[in-house]
Amino acid sequence: MILTQLILAHIIGDFILQPGKWVVRKEEKKTASKELYWHVFIHTALSFILLWNLELWWMAVIIGISHFIIDALKLHLQTNKTRKAAFFLDQGAHLLVILMISFSIGEMDFNFLHDPEFLKTLTVMVFLTFPASVIIKILLSSWIPETQEINKVQTESLVNAGKYIGILERLLVFTFIVTEHWEGVGFMIAAKSVFRFSDLAEARQRKLTEYVLVGTLLSFGIAVIAGIIVKL
């Protein structure tokens, strides 16, 4: 339970009890900002409260000290261009500290890495990301519509949005199948049809519509087959 308690303390401290104006002040004044020290104090106090065990006081202290160091490094090193990466690195570092504390007292181990079912599921999920995208792209390579047809649809499209939409939809379909909620797959197909093919219908490009339809069916088909394989 210590792992869960510390993660809960982190979520409350970083996302619920940290006002937006604190974030702005910290970025402006960095380690000279009093908001940074209040933020660290809140994290330390929350860890004490949620652990509710005086013998574990050292965990709350480690959380407080490490949180200050990680946040201070983020504030001094991040730039406008690296803000997104800095956020995820910051959160990853905090989570790593929590995991190390939990591991140090033997609450968690890495025996799950030797579990065949876990390894099979993880392998399939990794395959459904970028490897599946490459395979679909190769399969459709001989049917790529004319550049002008693609440009008409992608004029206001986000960069690489289609690739990440495909990855997310495959992972969601895979999750629905593994958890035996096949109705979720139908919902995904219906939702994508409404949003995606209505735009294509307005563009009135039959070749492009067929291209996207085949790509969608391939994406869903790969995810369905992957889910069935894991369930075997």
Side-chain angles (χ1 to χ4, degrees):
M1 289 297 295
I2 289 175
L3 176 64
T4 306
Q5 291 165 324
L6 292 179
I7 290 177
L8 177 59
H10 175 75
I11 292 173
I12 295 173
D14 245 25
F15 299 99
I16 298 177
L17 297 183
Q18 181 175 208
K21 61 182 180 181
W22 282 21
V23 177
V24 175
R25 295 266 181 84
K26 287 194 302 179
E27 291 181 347
E28 288 177 351
K29 298 183 179 180
K30 299 181 173 49
T31 49
S33 167
K34 65 180 181 180
E35 286 79 9
L36 172 61
Y37 298 94
W38 275 113
H39 179 62
V40 171
F41 172 77
I42 288 173
H43 270 281
T44 307
L46 282 170
S47 298
F48 268 119
I49 293 170
L50 289 175
L51 288 171
W52 203 251
N53 187 341
L54 290 177
E55 295 181 358
L56 302 178
W57 62 270
W58 57 273
M59 293 186 183
V61 172
I62 290 176
I63 291 293
I65 295 173
S66 65
H67 206 97
F68 173 78
I69 295 173
I70 293 169
D71 276 19
L73 287 172
K74 175 193 173 187
L75 291 172
H76 282 283
L77 296 178
Q78 78 172 2
T79 63
N80 289 332
K81 291 183 178 180
T82 62
R83 187 179 301 275
K84 185 188 298 184
F87 169 79
F88 288 107
L89 287 173
D90 172 78
Q91 294 300 316
H94 291 311
L95 181 59
L96 180 60
V97 171
I98 293 173
L99 291 174
M100 289 174 65
I101 291 173
S102 180
F103 181 75
S104 68
I105 62 171
E107 188 181 60
M108 64 173 291
D109 54 45
F110 295 97
N111 290 334
F112 64 90
L113 293 175
H114 300 287
D115 181 4
E117 289 300 318
F118 170 79
L119 290 174
K120 181 169 68 173
T121 303
L122 179 62
T123 301
V124 171
M125 290 183 70
V126 172
F127 167 76
L128 290 175
T129 58
F130 295 101
S133 295
V134 173
I135 291 173
I136 292 171
K137 184 177 180 180
I138 292 174
L139 290 174
L140 296 175
S141 60
S142 59
W143 293 337
I144 296 178
E146 295 178 5
T147 304
Q148 61 181 18
E149 294 178 351
I150 297 177
N151 289 338
K152 288 181 181 179
V153 177
Q154 292 185 341
T155 301
E156 299 180 359
S157 177
L158 299 175
V159 178
N160 291 325
K163 179 194 297 184
Y164 293 107
I165 289 172
I167 290 173
L168 290 173
E169 74 184 14
R170 285 191 295 275
L171 291 176
L172 285 171
V173 169
F174 174 77
T175 302
F176 287 139
I177 294 173
V178 170
T179 57
E180 298 184 355
H181 288 286
W182 285 84
E183 65 276 10
V185 180
F187 171 78
M188 286 285 296
I189 294 175
K192 186 167 185 180
S193 298
V194 170
F195 289 105
R196 184 63 163 165
F197 295 113
S198 60
D199 292 338
L200 292 171
E202 291 178 5
R204 296 184 178 180
Q205 297 291 337
R206 182 172 180 177
K207 290 182 181 179
L208 184 58
T209 302
E210 292 174 344
Y211 174 81
V212 174
L213 179 59
V214 172
T216 297
L217 293 177
L218 276 174
S219 182
F220 275 83
I222 290 173
V224 169
I225 294 171
I228 292 173
I229 290 174
V230 169
K231 292 289 290 181
L232 291 177

